[in-house]
Short mmCIF file of all heavy atoms in Angstrom, two decimals:
data_model
loop_
_atom_site.label_atom_id
_atom_site.label_comp_id
_atom_site.label_asym_id
_atom_site.label_seq_id
_atom_site.Cartn_x
_atom_site.Cartn_y
_atom_site.Cartn_z
N GLU A 175 -25.41 12.95 -42.82
CA GLU A 175 -24.89 14.30 -42.68
C GLU A 175 -23.84 14.54 -41.54
O GLU A 175 -23.01 15.36 -41.57
CB GLU A 175 -26.06 15.30 -42.46
CG GLU A 175 -26.93 15.42 -43.64
CD GLU A 175 -28.02 16.48 -43.46
OE1 GLU A 175 -28.06 17.11 -42.38
OE2 GLU A 175 -28.90 16.68 -44.33
N THR A 176 -24.06 13.64 -40.46
CA THR A 176 -23.12 13.80 -39.38
C THR A 176 -22.63 12.41 -38.94
O THR A 176 -23.29 11.41 -39.25
CB THR A 176 -23.74 14.46 -38.13
OG1 THR A 176 -24.73 13.59 -37.55
CG2 THR A 176 -24.39 15.79 -38.47
N PHE A 177 -21.49 12.39 -38.20
CA PHE A 177 -21.03 11.09 -37.72
C PHE A 177 -22.06 10.46 -36.75
O PHE A 177 -22.25 9.23 -36.76
CB PHE A 177 -19.71 11.35 -37.01
CG PHE A 177 -19.02 10.07 -36.61
CD1 PHE A 177 -18.24 9.41 -37.51
CD2 PHE A 177 -19.00 9.69 -35.29
CE1 PHE A 177 -17.59 8.23 -37.22
CE2 PHE A 177 -18.31 8.53 -34.95
CZ PHE A 177 -17.60 7.81 -35.90
N GLY A 178 -22.70 11.25 -35.92
CA GLY A 178 -23.61 10.71 -34.97
C GLY A 178 -24.81 10.09 -35.66
O GLY A 178 -25.30 9.04 -35.18
N LEU A 179 -25.24 10.59 -36.81
CA LEU A 179 -26.37 9.99 -37.53
C LEU A 179 -25.91 8.68 -38.11
O LEU A 179 -26.77 7.73 -38.23
CB LEU A 179 -26.81 10.93 -38.72
CG LEU A 179 -27.55 12.24 -38.21
CD1 LEU A 179 -27.95 13.09 -39.44
CD2 LEU A 179 -28.84 11.77 -37.51
N SER A 180 -24.65 8.53 -38.44
CA SER A 180 -24.13 7.23 -38.96
C SER A 180 -24.31 6.17 -37.83
O SER A 180 -24.73 5.04 -38.11
CB SER A 180 -22.69 7.32 -39.35
OG SER A 180 -22.55 8.19 -40.40
N VAL A 181 -23.96 6.56 -36.63
CA VAL A 181 -24.01 5.61 -35.50
C VAL A 181 -25.51 5.25 -35.21
O VAL A 181 -25.85 4.16 -34.94
CB VAL A 181 -23.31 6.20 -34.30
CG1 VAL A 181 -23.52 5.25 -33.05
CG2 VAL A 181 -21.86 6.40 -34.57
N GLN A 182 -26.42 6.26 -35.27
CA GLN A 182 -27.80 5.95 -35.11
C GLN A 182 -28.35 5.04 -36.18
O GLN A 182 -29.18 4.16 -35.93
CB GLN A 182 -28.60 7.34 -35.13
CG GLN A 182 -28.42 8.17 -33.87
CD GLN A 182 -28.83 7.40 -32.61
OE1 GLN A 182 -29.89 6.81 -32.58
NE2 GLN A 182 -28.12 7.49 -31.57
N ALA A 183 -27.90 5.25 -37.43
CA ALA A 183 -28.31 4.34 -38.52
C ALA A 183 -27.89 2.96 -38.28
O ALA A 183 -28.54 1.96 -38.58
CB ALA A 183 -27.70 4.86 -39.85
N LEU A 184 -26.68 2.78 -37.67
CA LEU A 184 -26.21 1.44 -37.34
C LEU A 184 -27.00 0.87 -36.24
O LEU A 184 -27.43 -0.33 -36.27
CB LEU A 184 -24.73 1.58 -36.89
CG LEU A 184 -24.11 0.26 -36.26
CD1 LEU A 184 -24.06 -0.86 -37.32
CD2 LEU A 184 -22.69 0.56 -35.76
N LYS A 185 -27.35 1.65 -35.20
CA LYS A 185 -28.11 1.11 -34.12
C LYS A 185 -29.53 0.70 -34.53
O LYS A 185 -30.08 -0.31 -34.06
CB LYS A 185 -28.20 2.21 -33.03
CG LYS A 185 -28.79 1.84 -31.74
CD LYS A 185 -28.74 2.86 -30.68
CE LYS A 185 -29.16 2.37 -29.29
NZ LYS A 185 -28.98 3.46 -28.31
N SER A 186 -30.12 1.46 -35.49
CA SER A 186 -31.48 1.17 -35.99
C SER A 186 -31.51 0.12 -37.03
O SER A 186 -32.55 -0.38 -37.39
CB SER A 186 -32.11 2.44 -36.45
OG SER A 186 -31.45 2.93 -37.61
N GLY A 187 -30.29 -0.39 -37.45
CA GLY A 187 -30.25 -1.46 -38.49
C GLY A 187 -30.30 -1.00 -39.94
O GLY A 187 -30.44 -1.82 -40.82
N ASP A 188 -30.15 0.34 -40.14
CA ASP A 188 -30.22 0.88 -41.51
C ASP A 188 -28.91 0.56 -42.22
O ASP A 188 -28.84 0.60 -43.41
CB ASP A 188 -30.56 2.34 -41.55
CG ASP A 188 -31.98 2.56 -41.00
OD1 ASP A 188 -32.84 1.83 -41.26
OD2 ASP A 188 -32.24 3.65 -40.41
N VAL A 189 -27.79 0.55 -41.48
CA VAL A 189 -26.49 0.12 -41.99
C VAL A 189 -25.94 -0.95 -41.15
O VAL A 189 -26.45 -1.23 -40.03
CB VAL A 189 -25.54 1.35 -42.12
CG1 VAL A 189 -26.14 2.46 -42.95
CG2 VAL A 189 -25.17 1.90 -40.76
N ASP A 190 -24.85 -1.56 -41.62
CA ASP A 190 -24.32 -2.76 -40.93
C ASP A 190 -22.97 -2.49 -40.19
O ASP A 190 -22.63 -3.22 -39.32
CB ASP A 190 -24.15 -3.87 -41.95
CG ASP A 190 -25.45 -4.19 -42.67
OD1 ASP A 190 -26.34 -4.71 -41.96
OD2 ASP A 190 -25.46 -4.01 -43.89
N SER A 191 -22.34 -1.37 -40.52
CA SER A 191 -21.05 -1.06 -39.84
C SER A 191 -20.72 0.43 -40.06
O SER A 191 -21.16 1.01 -41.05
CB SER A 191 -19.99 -1.92 -40.36
OG SER A 191 -18.71 -1.58 -39.62
N VAL A 192 -20.07 0.98 -39.06
CA VAL A 192 -19.52 2.34 -39.21
C VAL A 192 -18.00 2.27 -38.82
O VAL A 192 -17.74 1.61 -37.76
CB VAL A 192 -20.22 3.30 -38.29
CG1 VAL A 192 -19.52 4.70 -38.30
CG2 VAL A 192 -21.71 3.48 -38.69
N LEU A 193 -17.16 2.82 -39.63
CA LEU A 193 -15.79 2.80 -39.28
C LEU A 193 -15.46 3.97 -38.39
O LEU A 193 -15.96 5.12 -38.54
CB LEU A 193 -14.95 2.90 -40.52
CG LEU A 193 -14.96 1.67 -41.45
CD1 LEU A 193 -14.10 1.96 -42.59
CD2 LEU A 193 -14.38 0.45 -40.67
N MET A 194 -14.59 3.78 -37.33
CA MET A 194 -14.21 4.84 -36.49
C MET A 194 -12.94 4.50 -35.70
O MET A 194 -12.54 3.29 -35.70
CB MET A 194 -15.33 5.23 -35.49
CG MET A 194 -15.67 4.12 -34.48
SD MET A 194 -16.97 4.66 -33.29
CE MET A 194 -18.38 4.82 -34.41
#
Side-chain angles (χ1 to χ4, degrees):
E175 291 185 5
T176 69
F177 189 78
L179 288 177
S180 297
V181 178
Q182 286 300 316
L184 173 62
K185 190 173 185 178
S186 65
D188 295 325
V189 301
D190 303 296
S191 180
V192 174
L193 292 178
M194 63 178 67

